[in-house]
Amino acid sequence: MIDPRFIPFGRHAFLLTHTNPLAVMHHIQQANLADVVDVIAAQDCVLVRVTEASAATSTQLMGLLDTVDDADFDDVSRHDERTQLDLEVVYGAPDLDEVAARCAMSVERVIALHSQAAYRVAFCGFVPGFGYLTGLPAELHLPRHDLPRTHVPAGSVAIAAGYSAVYPRESPGGWHLIGHTRAVLFDVENDPPSLIEPGLNVRFTPVREAIPLSSAQHDAGTELEAADRNDAEVVNPGMHTIVVDHGRRGWGSIAVGSAGPWDSAAFATATRLVGNTDTAAGLEIVGSGLHLRAQRSMTVAVTGAPGPIWLRSGQSERLLDLNAPQHLSPSEELLLGPTYDGLRRWLAIRGGLDVPATLGSRSTDTLSGLGPPQLQAGDHLPIGTSYDMQPVVDYLPTSLEEGRGDQTLTVPVYPGPDAGRFADIGVLYRQDYTVTPYSNRVGIRLHGNPLEAPIDSSLRPSYPMVSGAIQLPPNGQPVVLGPDHPVTGGYPVIAVLQDPAGAAQWPPGAKIRFREISSVLP
């Protein structure tokens, strides 16, 4: 029987519940377990990401869990000796008068209550550097806005759902905005990159002088500048093409996700075919249209969904093989046609893409804005020297047959942490869902007969998420989280994909039927 404090969360994570999550996170970090990839604390639980869930790792983690008591944990900072962050705030943002009216008090009373309270960072989520601060006086507890704003300026001080927070970057948001600060809460050029970390104490100090509110904080993205030497030119970026590598690890506690390739095995195959190191960067390509021109001799490999790949040399064209190393001479062009029976492909170039790394990775994170931007026509891709062997001369045959058409794809899933809260979870498994066009690397939105969520779902505290988690928002239509998912989420998780990488190949219109399988652990 599974310990209720210890819940498998798919094949690559465990969810540990405890009254002192910061202490649990600290103990696990100090243990340096070989299989642990990241540890993320939330309000009353800790997510432990692992290379592969196993009985041995679960035994080690449960042993550590038994050593943690309810004593306060004050050694909160991994990077320096900070124990408290003081932020100057100009009160008077768009929602201050509304908050005062809804709380039946004066504006001055709202400011006094908010600024005199002592806050503590319970956990980070939403976007990098966004901290959920406990300590908000009960008189100021309000639910989120029914309709979130599409634009909240960086530096906005806000309250909602019993928390206070500061928006570290311009983003959408549904919290009540009561002030603003000019403090830069997240900057990848700083060490540490985030001023906000779990366990840190925070105080807000009212100030009268005007603080310029600018939405143009440090851009965490990395521009793809024209190369100084001949490399690869982007003639056409196709539908959507981004830079990926092994992804970011160890930053989940400050709400930085891992990103990286949606299908790490397919990308690793492309990397191996051209002889690159495991850390080399390449491309993830959605659909058709990518068109590159070689400015020098290069070796490339394409993996993923089958579809035509053309090599254009002068006025002639010839088809290239998928899953095999290919040579391009200077001025020759690589063109990717439409995919069959899938949606995404991965391209490796021998030497890897030599673009700057952000927090240890060159991967684009479409949610947070970290890493290089989406490729544009006219970009130049500098090629590095991240190879350690000769290109592998092997061949992985893939037939270019027509896709499955209207055939439903059966997808095995593990029960999610919240599955037991649903009166009829079987509805999830008794119908086909359709992949909607409103899907991306953050999440795949499905459409089917709505599944009724528990009445208390809106009151459920946020906890860390994993790629492949199937969330159920209030409209009852499941959302399957992708590699750029928010680090934490408040919607119930009803199931977790056995193979999150498989969702990379679900095109809009595909029919999906879920099949429940037993827990990942015996």
Side-chain angles (χ1 to χ4, degrees):
M1 182 175 180
I2 297 176
D3 190 320
R5 302 172 303 159
F6 190 87
I7 307 170
F9 204 158
R11 291 173 54 199
H12 301 285
F14 295 105
L15 196 64
L16 284 62
T17 61
H18 199 277
T19 56
N20 195 344
L22 292 181
V24 173
M25 181 179 72
H26 175 72
H27 278 244
I28 296 173
Q29 289 172 337
Q30 294 298 309
N32 291 319
L33 301 181
D35 292 334
V36 172
V37 175
D38 204 354
V39 187
I40 306 169
Q43 178 174 315
D44 55 7
C45 63
V46 174
L47 182 81
V48 184
R49 293 179 55 219
V50 296
T51 53
E52 186 77 24
S54 68
T57 301
S58 66
T59 299
Q60 290 177 311
L61 291 173
M62 282 192 286
L64 289 172
L65 193 63
D66 290 335
T67 67
V68 180
D69 57 30
D70 293 332
D72 288 339
F73 173 56
D74 296 320
D75 183 16
V76 298
S77 178
R78 299 178 301 165
H79 302 281
D80 53 37
E81 298 303 321
R82 293 177 303 135
T83 58
Q84 180 164 309
L85 175 65
D86 295 302
L87 296 174
E88 294 185 342
V89 179
V90 172
Y91 287 91
D95 297 329
L96 184 57
D97 289 339
E98 178 189 351
V99 168
R102 293 183 62 174
C103 295
M105 64 182 68
S106 66
V107 167
E108 291 75 18
R109 178 61 175 163
V110 172
I111 295 173
L113 283 173
H114 186 265
S115 61
Q116 292 172 9
Y119 299 92
R120 186 177 176 88
V121 183
F123 60 97
C124 293
F126 182 45
V127 294
F130 187 99
Y132 290 76
L133 311 183
T134 58
L136 182 71
E139 298 95 320
L140 299 180
H141 285 199
L142 292 173
R144 297 175 177 85
H145 285 297
D146 292 335
L147 182 64
R149 287 181 171 89
T150 59
H151 169 84
V152 175
S156 296
V157 178
I159 59 174
Y163 295 104
S164 188
V166 180
Y167 283 79
R169 58 172 292 174
E170 179 183 312
S171 65
W175 292 36
H176 303 276
L177 311 182
I178 62 172
H180 59 268
T181 178
R182 61 181 173 187
V184 177
L185 270 72
F186 188 87
D187 189 334
V188 295
E189 301 297 329
N190 292 338
D191 185 18
S194 178
L195 285 181
I196 296 289
E197 290 186 328
L200 191 68
N201 298 312
V202 179
R203 296 298 296 261
F204 295 109
T205 302
V207 293
R208 293 182 178 275
E209 64 267 22
I211 292 179
L213 182 58
S214 171
S215 62
Q217 285 194 262
H218 176 79
D219 184 1
T222 303
E223 294 297 326
L224 290 172
E225 300 177 353
D228 294 330
R229 61 188 188 277
N230 293 331
D231 289 313
E233 178 187 357
V234 180
V235 180
N236 188 330
M239 295 175 59
H240 186 269
T241 304
I242 59 172
V243 176
V244 293
D245 64 3
H246 60 290
R248 296 176 181 86
R249 295 186 176 186
W251 297 100
S253 63
I254 57 173
V256 175
S258 57
W262 198 321
D263 187 336
S264 57
F267 179 68
T269 298
T271 296
R272 178 175 58 86
L273 287 168
V274 298
N276 282 350
T277 64
D278 293 341
T279 60
L283 298 177
E284 181 172 290
I285 307 133
V286 176
S288 64
L290 178 65
H291 182 178
L292 302 180
R293 180 181 294 122
Q295 302 294 329
R296 47 165 278 189
S297 294
M298 60 181 62
T299 300
V300 303
V302 179
T303 60
I309 306 166
W310 292 288
L311 174 65
R312 178 180 295 168
S313 182
Q315 299 301 313
S316 64
E317 290 184 353
R318 65 181 177 90
L319 279 171
L320 299 180
D321 292 322
L322 187 72
N323 297 331
Q326 310 286 347
H327 178 76
L328 274 70
S329 298
S331 78
E332 289 188 326
E333 300 174 8
L334 184 74
L335 301 93
L336 271 61
T339 57
Y340 299 87
D341 202 17
L343 184 63
R344 286 177 172 82
R345 289 178 282 201
W346 290 267
L347 170 68
I349 302 176
R350 181 166 171 79
L353 301 183
D354 189 18
V355 298
T358 303
L359 300 182
S361 171
R362 296 177 171 87
S363 284
T364 299
D365 186 329
T366 59
L367 176 66
S368 70
L370 296 176
Q374 178 181 336
L375 263 60
Q376 301 293 327
D379 285 344
H380 284 256
L381 304 176
I383 299 173
T385 57
S386 296
Y387 50 80
D388 58 3
M389 63 181 181
Q390 290 300 311
V392 176
V393 185
D394 60 6
Y395 181 81
L396 305 176
T398 302
S399 62
L400 299 185
E401 298 176 352
E402 293 295 330
R404 286 181 289 260
D406 295 332
Q407 181 178 340
T408 299
L409 178 65
T410 300
V411 178
V413 297
Y414 299 112
D418 298 304
R421 301 172 57 215
F422 286 74
D424 188 10
I425 191 65
V427 172
L428 178 69
Y429 307 108
R430 292 195 296 266
Q431 63 172 308
D432 293 348
Y433 288 95
T434 302
V435 177
T436 73
Y438 307 105
S439 302
N440 51 36
R441 280 175 55 91
V442 177
I444 297 175
R445 297 178 183 271
L446 304 178
H447 183 267
N449 295 322
L451 182 63
E452 186 175 352
I455 297 176
D456 62 348
S457 289
S458 62
L459 303 176
R460 170 194 169 285
S462 295
Y463 61 72
M465 292 291 119
V466 298
S467 184
I470 304 177
Q471 288 189 315
L472 191 73
N475 65 1
Q477 301 292 354
V479 177
V480 181
L481 298 186
D484 293 351
H485 64 84
V487 172
T488 60
Y491 297 139
V493 175
I494 53 180
V496 186
L497 301 187
Q498 182 187 44
D499 178 22
Q505 304 298 3
W506 298 355
K511 301 294 184 181
I512 305 295
R513 178 173 285 245
F514 297 113
R515 176 175 62 86
E516 184 179 13
I517 57 178
S518 59
S519 172
V520 65
L521 293 180

